[in-house]
mmCIF file of all heavy atoms in Angstrom:
data_model
loop_
_atom_site.group_PDB
_atom_site.id
_atom_site.type_symbol
_atom_site.label_atom_id
_atom_site.label_comp_id
_atom_site.label_asym_id
_atom_site.label_seq_id
_atom_site.Cartn_x
_atom_site.Cartn_y
_atom_site.Cartn_z
ATOM 1 N N PHE A 30 -111.846 52.508 44.100
ATOM 2 C CA PHE A 30 -111.497 53.926 44.040
ATOM 3 C C PHE A 30 -111.865 54.634 45.344
ATOM 4 O O PHE A 30 -111.106 55.474 45.843
ATOM 5 C CB PHE A 30 -112.241 54.570 42.866
ATOM 6 C CG PHE A 30 -111.786 55.962 42.522
ATOM 7 C CD1 PHE A 30 -110.740 56.172 41.632
ATOM 8 C CD2 PHE A 30 -112.408 57.083 43.073
ATOM 9 C CE1 PHE A 30 -110.317 57.456 41.304
ATOM 10 C CE2 PHE A 30 -112.002 58.370 42.756
ATOM 11 C CZ PHE A 30 -110.952 58.554 41.868
ATOM 12 N N GLY A 35 -106.497 59.644 50.907
ATOM 13 C CA GLY A 35 -105.708 60.806 50.507
ATOM 14 C C GLY A 35 -105.651 60.985 49.002
ATOM 15 O O GLY A 35 -106.505 60.500 48.258
ATOM 16 N N GLN A 36 -104.626 61.719 48.538
ATOM 17 C CA GLN A 36 -104.407 62.014 47.110
ATOM 18 C C GLN A 36 -105.666 62.593 46.456
ATOM 19 O O GLN A 36 -106.037 62.226 45.336
ATOM 20 C CB GLN A 36 -103.947 60.746 46.348
ATOM 21 C CG GLN A 36 -102.825 59.964 46.987
ATOM 22 C CD GLN A 36 -101.534 60.779 47.168
ATOM 23 O OE1 GLN A 36 -101.519 61.992 47.013
ATOM 24 N NE2 GLN A 36 -100.461 60.102 47.531
ATOM 25 N N GLU A 37 -106.311 63.543 47.170
ATOM 26 C CA GLU A 37 -107.577 64.114 46.693
ATOM 27 C C GLU A 37 -107.410 64.853 45.374
ATOM 28 O O GLU A 37 -108.302 64.842 44.525
ATOM 29 C CB GLU A 37 -108.156 65.069 47.761
ATOM 30 C CG GLU A 37 -108.458 64.405 49.100
ATOM 31 C CD GLU A 37 -109.402 63.228 48.981
ATOM 32 O OE1 GLU A 37 -110.330 63.291 48.154
ATOM 33 O OE2 GLU A 37 -109.202 62.229 49.693
ATOM 34 N N GLU A 38 -106.276 65.501 45.192
ATOM 35 C CA GLU A 38 -106.045 66.274 43.971
ATOM 36 C C GLU A 38 -106.039 65.367 42.737
ATOM 37 O O GLU A 38 -106.666 65.673 41.718
ATOM 38 C CB GLU A 38 -104.714 67.020 44.093
ATOM 39 C CG GLU A 38 -104.459 68.006 42.981
ATOM 40 C CD GLU A 38 -103.166 68.784 43.204
ATOM 41 O OE1 GLU A 38 -103.187 69.753 43.993
ATOM 42 O OE2 GLU A 38 -102.159 68.422 42.584
ATOM 43 N N MET A 39 -105.349 64.245 42.851
ATOM 44 C CA MET A 39 -105.289 63.299 41.738
ATOM 45 C C MET A 39 -106.666 62.704 41.460
ATOM 46 O O MET A 39 -107.086 62.613 40.293
ATOM 47 C CB MET A 39 -104.298 62.174 42.064
ATOM 48 C CG MET A 39 -104.322 61.017 41.091
ATOM 49 S SD MET A 39 -102.952 59.842 41.333
ATOM 50 C CE MET A 39 -103.157 59.357 43.050
ATOM 51 N N LYS A 40 -107.385 62.333 42.492
ATOM 52 C CA LYS A 40 -108.709 61.726 42.312
ATOM 53 C C LYS A 40 -109.678 62.718 41.664
ATOM 54 O O LYS A 40 -110.464 62.344 40.783
ATOM 55 C CB LYS A 40 -109.254 61.233 43.660
ATOM 56 C CG LYS A 40 -108.490 60.046 44.213
ATOM 57 C CD LYS A 40 -109.194 59.386 45.381
ATOM 58 C CE LYS A 40 -109.140 60.201 46.639
ATOM 59 N NZ LYS A 40 -109.668 59.484 47.822
ATOM 60 N N LEU A 41 -109.606 63.977 42.096
ATOM 61 C CA LEU A 41 -110.492 64.996 41.522
ATOM 62 C C LEU A 41 -110.206 65.196 40.035
ATOM 63 O O LEU A 41 -111.129 65.242 39.212
ATOM 64 C CB LEU A 41 -110.324 66.327 42.266
ATOM 65 C CG LEU A 41 -111.145 67.507 41.719
ATOM 66 C CD1 LEU A 41 -112.631 67.219 41.824
ATOM 67 C CD2 LEU A 41 -110.792 68.798 42.451
ATOM 68 N N ALA A 42 -108.920 65.292 39.674
ATOM 69 C CA ALA A 42 -108.553 65.496 38.270
ATOM 70 C C ALA A 42 -109.067 64.349 37.399
ATOM 71 O O ALA A 42 -109.578 64.563 36.290
ATOM 72 C CB ALA A 42 -107.045 65.633 38.133
ATOM 73 N N LEU A 43 -108.948 63.127 37.891
ATOM 74 C CA LEU A 43 -109.418 61.960 37.135
ATOM 75 C C LEU A 43 -110.936 61.986 36.973
ATOM 76 O O LEU A 43 -111.464 61.746 35.876
ATOM 77 C CB LEU A 43 -108.983 60.667 37.837
ATOM 78 C CG LEU A 43 -107.479 60.375 37.837
ATOM 79 C CD1 LEU A 43 -107.156 59.192 38.734
ATOM 80 C CD2 LEU A 43 -106.985 60.099 36.423
ATOM 81 N N LEU A 44 -111.640 62.291 38.048
ATOM 82 C CA LEU A 44 -113.110 62.321 37.994
ATOM 83 C C LEU A 44 -113.606 63.400 37.034
ATOM 84 O O LEU A 44 -114.555 63.178 36.267
ATOM 85 C CB LEU A 44 -113.686 62.552 39.396
ATOM 86 C CG LEU A 44 -113.563 61.386 40.378
ATOM 87 C CD1 LEU A 44 -114.056 61.803 41.762
ATOM 88 C CD2 LEU A 44 -114.344 60.173 39.890
ATOM 89 N N LEU A 45 -112.979 64.575 37.056
ATOM 90 C CA LEU A 45 -113.417 65.667 36.178
ATOM 91 C C LEU A 45 -113.210 65.301 34.711
ATOM 92 O O LEU A 45 -114.018 65.660 33.855
ATOM 93 C CB LEU A 45 -112.672 66.963 36.519
ATOM 94 C CG LEU A 45 -112.957 67.562 37.897
ATOM 95 C CD1 LEU A 45 -112.218 68.883 38.073
ATOM 96 C CD2 LEU A 45 -114.448 67.761 38.127
ATOM 97 N N ASN A 46 -112.146 64.571 34.410
ATOM 98 C CA ASN A 46 -111.902 64.157 33.032
ATOM 99 C C ASN A 46 -112.884 63.087 32.575
ATOM 100 O O ASN A 46 -113.202 63.006 31.393
ATOM 101 C CB ASN A 46 -110.465 63.654 32.864
ATOM 102 C CG ASN A 46 -109.504 64.761 32.500
ATOM 103 O OD1 ASN A 46 -109.279 65.052 31.329
ATOM 104 N ND2 ASN A 46 -108.963 65.420 33.516
ATOM 105 N N VAL A 55 -104.992 64.018 31.965
ATOM 106 C CA VAL A 55 -104.301 64.362 33.212
ATOM 107 C C VAL A 55 -102.861 63.863 33.171
ATOM 108 O O VAL A 55 -102.592 62.748 32.736
ATOM 109 C CB VAL A 55 -104.978 63.699 34.439
ATOM 110 C CG1 VAL A 55 -104.407 64.293 35.730
ATOM 111 C CG2 VAL A 55 -106.468 63.823 34.414
ATOM 112 N N MET A 56 -101.971 64.718 33.630
ATOM 113 C CA MET A 56 -100.586 64.305 33.867
ATOM 114 C C MET A 56 -100.409 64.209 35.373
ATOM 115 O O MET A 56 -100.630 65.196 36.089
ATOM 116 C CB MET A 56 -99.634 65.345 33.271
ATOM 117 C CG MET A 56 -98.170 65.023 33.473
ATOM 118 S SD MET A 56 -97.682 63.534 32.611
ATOM 119 C CE MET A 56 -96.110 63.215 33.380
ATOM 120 N N ILE A 57 -100.056 63.030 35.873
ATOM 121 C CA ILE A 57 -99.895 62.818 37.319
ATOM 122 C C ILE A 57 -98.413 62.619 37.610
ATOM 123 O O ILE A 57 -97.797 61.665 37.124
ATOM 124 C CB ILE A 57 -100.684 61.585 37.789
ATOM 125 C CG1 ILE A 57 -102.167 61.715 37.427
ATOM 126 C CG2 ILE A 57 -100.523 61.384 39.287
ATOM 127 C CD1 ILE A 57 -102.939 60.414 37.550
ATOM 128 N N MET A 58 -97.844 63.528 38.374
ATOM 129 C CA MET A 58 -96.425 63.417 38.729
ATOM 130 C C MET A 58 -96.292 63.290 40.241
ATOM 131 O O MET A 58 -96.955 64.029 40.991
ATOM 132 C CB MET A 58 -95.645 64.635 38.244
ATOM 133 C CG MET A 58 -95.537 64.753 36.728
ATOM 134 S SD MET A 58 -94.609 63.415 35.946
ATOM 135 C CE MET A 58 -92.934 64.034 36.112
ATOM 136 N N THR A 68 -104.598 54.143 41.540
ATOM 137 C CA THR A 68 -105.748 55.054 41.447
ATOM 138 C C THR A 68 -106.317 55.094 40.033
ATOM 139 O O THR A 68 -107.540 55.069 39.837
ATOM 140 C CB THR A 68 -105.341 56.478 41.880
ATOM 141 O OG1 THR A 68 -104.740 56.413 43.175
ATOM 142 C CG2 THR A 68 -106.547 57.394 41.950
ATOM 143 N N MET A 225 -104.870 68.784 32.510
ATOM 144 C CA MET A 225 -104.651 69.044 33.934
ATOM 145 C C MET A 225 -103.350 68.382 34.401
ATOM 146 O O MET A 225 -102.865 67.437 33.771
ATOM 147 C CB MET A 225 -105.829 68.515 34.762
ATOM 148 C CG MET A 225 -107.172 69.060 34.316
ATOM 149 S SD MET A 225 -108.558 68.411 35.279
ATOM 150 C CE MET A 225 -108.632 69.630 36.590
ATOM 151 N N HIS A 226 -102.805 68.910 35.480
ATOM 152 C CA HIS A 226 -101.569 68.372 36.051
ATOM 153 C C HIS A 226 -101.780 68.193 37.552
ATOM 154 O O HIS A 226 -101.985 69.161 38.283
ATOM 155 C CB HIS A 226 -100.411 69.335 35.794
ATOM 156 C CG HIS A 226 -99.068 68.802 36.210
ATOM 157 N ND1 HIS A 226 -98.710 68.657 37.528
ATOM 158 C CD2 HIS A 226 -97.999 68.374 35.469
ATOM 159 C CE1 HIS A 226 -97.479 68.177 37.589
ATOM 160 N NE2 HIS A 226 -97.024 68.006 36.354
ATOM 161 N N ALA A 227 -101.745 66.934 37.990
ATOM 162 C CA ALA A 227 -101.934 66.648 39.415
ATOM 163 C C ALA A 227 -100.606 66.247 40.042
ATOM 164 O O ALA A 227 -99.846 65.472 39.461
ATOM 165 C CB ALA A 227 -102.953 65.528 39.593
ATOM 166 N N LYS A 228 -100.332 66.799 41.220
ATOM 167 C CA LYS A 228 -99.119 66.441 41.952
ATOM 168 C C LYS A 228 -99.495 65.549 43.125
ATOM 169 O O LYS A 228 -100.450 65.837 43.853
ATOM 170 C CB LYS A 228 -98.400 67.696 42.461
ATOM 171 C CG LYS A 228 -97.820 68.563 41.360
ATOM 172 C CD LYS A 228 -96.947 69.677 41.913
ATOM 173 C CE LYS A 228 -95.606 69.146 42.353
ATOM 174 N NZ LYS A 228 -94.669 70.233 42.718
ATOM 175 N N VAL A 229 -98.749 64.472 43.292
ATOM 176 C CA VAL A 229 -98.999 63.590 44.435
ATOM 177 C C VAL A 229 -97.708 63.457 45.222
ATOM 178 O O VAL A 229 -96.614 63.452 44.659
ATOM 179 C CB VAL A 229 -99.493 62.194 43.987
ATOM 180 C CG1 VAL A 229 -100.888 62.268 43.434
ATOM 181 C CG2 VAL A 229 -98.560 61.550 42.975
ATOM 182 N N GLY A 230 -97.858 63.384 46.525
ATOM 183 C CA GLY A 230 -96.682 63.286 47.388
ATOM 184 C C GLY A 230 -96.854 62.174 48.409
ATOM 185 O O GLY A 230 -97.955 61.668 48.632
ATOM 186 N N THR A 331 -110.904 75.809 43.175
ATOM 187 C CA THR A 331 -110.531 74.403 43.384
ATOM 188 C C THR A 331 -109.787 73.826 42.191
ATOM 189 O O THR A 331 -108.802 73.099 42.349
ATOM 190 C CB THR A 331 -111.789 73.554 43.667
ATOM 191 O OG1 THR A 331 -112.484 74.100 44.786
ATOM 192 C CG2 THR A 331 -111.409 72.107 43.964
ATOM 193 N N VAL A 332 -110.234 74.165 40.973
ATOM 194 C CA VAL A 332 -109.673 73.495 39.783
ATOM 195 C C VAL A 332 -108.548 74.251 39.095
ATOM 196 O O VAL A 332 -107.737 73.649 38.392
ATOM 197 C CB VAL A 332 -110.785 73.199 38.742
ATOM 198 C CG1 VAL A 332 -111.889 72.346 39.355
ATOM 199 C CG2 VAL A 332 -111.370 74.467 38.132
ATOM 200 N N ILE A 333 -108.468 75.574 39.305
ATOM 201 C CA ILE A 333 -107.531 76.370 38.496
ATOM 202 C C ILE A 333 -106.055 76.013 38.718
ATOM 203 O O ILE A 333 -105.271 76.042 37.752
ATOM 204 C CB ILE A 333 -107.797 77.890 38.673
ATOM 205 C CG1 ILE A 333 -107.172 78.677 37.507
ATOM 206 C CG2 ILE A 333 -107.323 78.398 40.022
ATOM 207 C CD1 ILE A 333 -107.661 80.117 37.410
ATOM 208 N N PRO A 334 -105.623 75.619 39.940
ATOM 209 C CA PRO A 334 -104.203 75.209 40.056
ATOM 210 C C PRO A 334 -103.893 73.979 39.200
ATOM 211 O O PRO A 334 -102.809 73.879 38.617
ATOM 212 C CB PRO A 334 -104.051 74.888 41.556
ATOM 213 C CG PRO A 334 -105.135 75.668 42.226
ATOM 214 C CD PRO A 334 -106.281 75.639 41.263
ATOM 215 N N LEU A 335 -104.841 73.043 39.117
ATOM 216 C CA LEU A 335 -104.662 71.837 38.320
ATOM 217 C C LEU A 335 -104.554 72.149 36.830
ATOM 218 O O LEU A 335 -103.887 71.442 36.079
ATOM 219 C CB LEU A 335 -105.846 70.881 38.533
ATOM 220 C CG LEU A 335 -105.989 70.241 39.915
ATOM 221 C CD1 LEU A 335 -107.392 69.692 40.101
ATOM 222 C CD2 LEU A 335 -104.971 69.138 40.097
ATOM 223 N N CYS A 336 -105.224 73.225 36.419
ATOM 224 C CA CYS A 336 -105.287 73.575 35.000
ATOM 225 C C CYS A 336 -104.127 74.455 34.539
ATOM 226 O O CYS A 336 -103.802 74.478 33.346
ATOM 227 C CB CYS A 336 -106.604 74.301 34.700
ATOM 228 S SG CYS A 336 -108.080 73.350 35.098
ATOM 229 N N ARG A 338 -100.914 75.177 36.601
ATOM 230 C CA ARG A 338 -99.573 75.097 37.212
ATOM 231 C C ARG A 338 -98.497 74.621 36.233
ATOM 232 O O ARG A 338 -97.359 75.062 36.298
ATOM 233 C CB ARG A 338 -99.594 74.185 38.442
ATOM 234 C CG ARG A 338 -99.897 72.731 38.180
ATOM 235 C CD ARG A 338 -99.250 71.871 39.278
ATOM 236 N NE ARG A 338 -99.798 72.136 40.580
ATOM 237 C CZ ARG A 338 -100.698 71.361 41.191
ATOM 238 N NH1 ARG A 338 -101.148 70.284 40.593
ATOM 239 N NH2 ARG A 338 -101.123 71.648 42.391
ATOM 240 N N ILE A 349 -92.243 72.034 38.899
ATOM 241 C CA ILE A 349 -93.531 72.676 38.623
ATOM 242 C C ILE A 349 -94.133 73.239 39.906
ATOM 243 O O ILE A 349 -94.060 72.630 40.975
ATOM 244 C CB ILE A 349 -94.481 71.659 37.951
ATOM 245 C CG1 ILE A 349 -94.041 71.453 36.504
ATOM 246 C CG2 ILE A 349 -95.924 72.124 37.971
ATOM 247 C CD1 ILE A 349 -94.803 70.404 35.751
ATOM 248 N N ASP A 350 -94.730 74.415 39.788
ATOM 249 C CA ASP A 350 -95.319 75.121 40.932
ATOM 250 C C ASP A 350 -96.374 74.262 41.624
ATOM 251 O O ASP A 350 -97.145 73.552 40.979
ATOM 252 C CB ASP A 350 -95.955 76.425 40.439
ATOM 253 C CG ASP A 350 -96.592 77.212 41.575
ATOM 254 O OD1 ASP A 350 -95.847 77.730 42.410
ATOM 255 O OD2 ASP A 350 -97.831 77.280 41.618
ATOM 256 N N SER A 351 -96.431 74.341 42.939
ATOM 257 C CA SER A 351 -97.393 73.546 43.700
ATOM 258 C C SER A 351 -98.825 74.026 43.499
ATOM 259 O O SER A 351 -99.782 73.333 43.837
ATOM 260 C CB SER A 351 -97.046 73.613 45.192
ATOM 261 O OG SER A 351 -97.198 74.952 45.662
ATOM 262 N N GLY A 352 -98.995 75.203 42.964
ATOM 263 C CA GLY A 352 -100.336 75.758 42.789
ATOM 264 C C GLY A 352 -100.559 77.010 43.622
ATOM 265 O O GLY A 352 -101.537 77.728 43.436
ATOM 266 N N LEU A 353 -99.637 77.291 44.545
ATOM 267 C CA LEU A 353 -99.782 78.457 45.424
ATOM 268 C C LEU A 353 -99.753 79.760 44.627
ATOM 269 O O LEU A 353 -100.517 80.693 44.905
ATOM 270 C CB LEU A 353 -98.678 78.475 46.482
ATOM 271 C CG LEU A 353 -98.758 77.393 47.564
ATOM 272 C CD1 LEU A 353 -97.535 77.447 48.463
ATOM 273 C CD2 LEU A 353 -100.042 77.569 48.377
ATOM 274 N N GLN A 356 -103.107 80.229 43.040
ATOM 275 C CA GLN A 356 -104.126 80.591 44.039
ATOM 276 C C GLN A 356 -103.950 82.034 44.523
ATOM 277 O O GLN A 356 -104.935 82.740 44.773
ATOM 278 C CB GLN A 356 -104.070 79.615 45.216
ATOM 279 C CG GLN A 356 -104.587 78.230 44.846
ATOM 280 C CD GLN A 356 -104.475 77.234 45.991
ATOM 281 O OE1 GLN A 356 -103.639 77.390 46.892
ATOM 282 N NE2 GLN A 356 -105.298 76.204 45.957
#
Side-chain angles (χ1 to χ4, degrees):
F30 191 88
Q36 312 300 12
E37 300 304 323
E38 188 176 280
M39 170 170 57
K40 291 192 287 188
L41 177 62
L43 292 171
L44 289 175
L45 294 183
N46 271 270
V55 191
M56 179 65 194
I57 303 166
M58 293 296 275
T68 306
M225 305 179 90
H226 186 289
K228 293 188 76 172
V229 290
T331 304
V332 303
I333 199 166
L335 292 163
C336 301
R338 65 153 64 101
I349 286 175
D350 180 70
S351 65
L353 290 175
Q356 289 177 335

